[in-house]
Amino acid sequence: MLRSFARRFRPLFEPSVARLQSWAARKQCSVQALMDIDEANLWFPPDFRDRFGGFHPPGQIRDVRRGFSLDRVRSDMLVLLLREIVVGQIPGAFAELGVHHGWSARLIHHYCPDRRFYLLDTFAGFAAADLKAESLAVGFNEKLAFQDTSVERVRQNIQPIGDTVAFVPGWFPDSATPAMRDDRYAFVHLDADLEAPIAAGLAFFWPRLAPGGMMVVHDYNAWPGARLAVDAFRQQHSVRAVPMPDKAGSVVLLK
Ligand SMILES: C[S@@+](CC[C@H](N)C(=O)[O-])C[C@H]1O[C@@H](n2cnc3c(N)ncnc32)[C@H](O)[C@@H]1O
């Protein structure tokens, strides 16, 4: 009864723009940065969350870890895509190419700790062969990026639950293990920045993706290599691609 009263008279209590602005300043975000289903949002709808689960599958509470302080849209996007995989009961393992410190891997693993999850990275930054193959010049600082990591550091960051996380160090695609080749996938995150590894990731994982599965390619609207690799792949294969408005403009490929 209290809720229906609140809903009916809500317009009377709608916050003014000035109040919203000061609230956003206090939270250090824009008003738009939190989705309505986020419990911290002013417009959070508890009835909707109770009925449909919000960030969680209905009737379940999953561990939602966020890690990108500069990109709330990206973490919300990943959580909601994983939710689709869970609710749709899409079978298969998960994989991430491009792990670095493991922030995206941590989010993915803790939302779905039961899935086998391959983590692929050189754990030593970009490979010279990939940098050489890049069609556009890569800056000096970018060449040195992502070297400050290791399997142990990522393990510490992720704190894996059980034994579903499999570290696959080395240069991809050569690093792909026999188990990975035999597996089928429900969710793949490609975040390797450069054209060559992203092209290799698409070629490797797309044929192994289950119907209803999805691949997220980060940087589609930010890094030329990511855009070139995805567009070349789309010219050869019939792939449904949905661009996303996260900071680096991911694209989701649906099977
Ligand atoms: C942008 S970082 C990944 C960031 C991470 N997904 C996150 O959001 O927390 C890109 C990573 O791709 C890895 N990488 C690039 N090319 C690779 C290749 N051919 N084989 C393995 N790892 C590669 C780099 O070592 C680097 O750690």
Side-chain angles (χ1 to χ4, degrees), residues 68 74 96-104 120-127 130 146 170-172 189 191-193 197:
F68 318 109
R74 184 182 184 196
E96 178 172 82
L97 171 59
V99 178
H100 189 221
H101 290 157
W103 289 110
S104 45
L120 298 121
D121 204 300
T122 60
F123 296 100
F126 294 133
D130 292 340
F146 308 121
W171 181 76
F172 182 84
H189 186 220
D191 188 10
D193 296 354

Side-chain angles (χ1 to χ4, degrees), residues 145-216:
F146 308 121
Q147 296 178 353
D148 59 336
T149 191
S150 67
V151 168
E152 219 25 67
R153 179 166 177 174
V154 175
R155 202 193 304 278
Q156 282 296 321
N157 187 22
I158 296 179
Q159 300 278 318
I161 297 167
D163 58 0
T164 50
V165 172
F167 287 90
V168 187
W171 181 76
F172 182 84
D174 285 5
S175 58
T177 61
M180 279 182 61
R181 291 178 195 281
D182 289 344
D183 228 333
R184 291 293 170 271
Y185 297 85
F187 187 83
V188 177
H189 186 220
L190 297 184
D191 188 10
D193 296 354
L194 304 180
E195 186 175 351
I198 293 174
L202 291 164
F204 182 89
F205 288 109
W206 184 255
R208 294 173 169 87
L209 201 65
M214 52 181 88
M215 292 177 72
V216 180

Side-chain angles (χ1 to χ4, degrees), residues 42-66:
L42 273 179
W43 291 279
F44 173 67
D47 298 348
F48 182 92
R49 187 268 320 269
D50 294 348
R51 193 162 163 208
F52 300 107
F55 284 109
H56 306 269
Q60 297 180 25
I61 297 294
R62 299 244 163 184
D63 189 350
V64 175
R65 305 269 178 111
R66 295 192 169 86

Side-chain angles (χ1 to χ4, degrees), residues 33 35 55 66 72-81:
M35 290 184 71
F55 284 109
R66 295 192 169 86
R72 183 66 173 226
V73 176
R74 184 182 184 196
S75 48
D76 287 355
M77 170 195 77
L78 288 171
V79 170
L80 290 175
L81 294 175

